[in-house]
Amino acid sequence: GDGLMKLEAGNVAFDAEATDSTSISTNATVHTAAVAQPAIRTDFRETAFFFPDLLTDRDGAVILKFTMPEALTRWKLLGLAHTPDLKAVTFTKEAITQKPLMVVPNLPRFLREGDRITFTAKVNAIEAAVQGTAKLELLDPFTNKPLDAAFKLKDPAPAFTAAPGQSANVAWDINIPEGTSMVSVRITACGNGPSTTFGTSFSDGEEKPLPVL
């Protein structure tokens, strides 16, 4: 989602929290009815922003506005500020992007025609136990046409149970066909928390293209 930080030159800090680590929630929508389709994360830029020429206001404060990438990970903020007479200060802060339910695929960098491979992923439950289903979809990245049959995907939606603060492992066996140069791998997970969470549902999804050699 969109991020907003306020930095003060004299006492550098996050405006929202004056600690060394800040948690940022990315697309974390809470549902109280049936499990909704997850928002698919596709923006995995390694650099969230780079602002080399910011100017402070008369109070020495500067506001950073940016769109956070969708990778669920730990981020490091590095800053350098200086005055016209070259007095300088540097600082380092950390932020974490996470969701109550997170899909963490373990994918290769590429696929080879004729190979048999097992895709695996972890489904992490952060706040509460979650029971649900994970789903693998294989798509043509140019037409969005399903390729499950071509890759001989037999069981696309296995069930999982993840305890609070732990992860569940899911896996899919596929065969790499000939004549396909690229495939988009979409892995999603949807599930419900325990009754103590009043039927709250959680979801997450990630999609990446893989070349086929």
Side-chain angles (χ1 to χ4, degrees):
D2 292 339
L4 177 64
M5 293 181 183
K6 180 180 179 182
L7 305 177
E8 298 180 0
N11 183 18
V12 177
F14 287 107
D15 187 45
E17 187 175 340
T19 63
D20 288 338
S21 182
T22 300
S23 179
I24 299 175
S25 180
T26 304
N27 293 334
T29 303
V30 176
H31 307 278
T32 55
V35 176
Q37 290 299 315
I40 307 300
R41 295 181 287 107
T42 58
D43 180 5
F44 303 108
R45 290 174 291 132
E46 295 184 357
T47 301
F49 58 81
F50 174 65
F51 301 134
D53 54 356
L54 296 170
L55 297 176
T56 66
D57 60 20
R58 65 180 61 187
D59 297 322
V62 60
I63 295 178
L64 311 181
K65 295 183 178 180
F66 59 94
T67 298
M68 200 69 185
E70 295 174 322
L72 304 178
T73 185
R74 183 183 298 272
W75 301 86
K76 180 175 288 187
L77 171 67
L78 303 176
L80 167 66
H82 67 85
T83 62
D85 57 354
L86 299 183
K87 294 178 181 178
V89 62
T90 61
F91 61 91
T92 301
K93 294 286 181 178
E94 288 189 346
I96 299 173
T97 48
Q98 64 182 25
K99 299 177 65 175
L101 184 71
M102 299 188 296
V103 172
V104 185
N106 181 21
L107 300 177
R109 293 185 295 111
F110 58 86
L111 304 172
R112 289 189 181 275
E113 292 182 350
D115 281 357
R116 299 179 63 185
I117 190 171
T118 299
F119 283 163
T120 61
K122 289 184 177 181
V123 182
N124 297 333
I126 302 300
E127 300 175 351
V130 180
Q131 292 183 331
T133 57
K135 185 177 182 181
L136 171 65
E137 295 177 85
L138 303 172
L139 306 167
D140 185 320
F142 305 106
T143 64
N144 216 35
K145 177 183 176 181
L147 297 176
D148 293 0
F151 282 76
K152 298 183 179 179
L153 177 61
K154 301 298 184 181
D155 183 14
F160 72 87
T161 300
Q166 299 185 23
S167 62
N169 295 316
V170 289
W172 300 269
D173 295 325
I174 62 171
N175 295 309
I176 315 303
E178 296 182 356
T180 300
S181 61
M182 184 82 67
V183 59
S184 284
V185 180
R186 179 185 297 171
I187 298 178
T188 58
C190 300
N192 292 302
S195 58
T196 53
T197 62
F198 303 100
T200 299
S201 62
F202 306 98
S203 63
D204 184 35
E206 183 174 311
E207 181 174 336
K208 288 183 179 180
L210 293 181
V212 179
L213 306 182

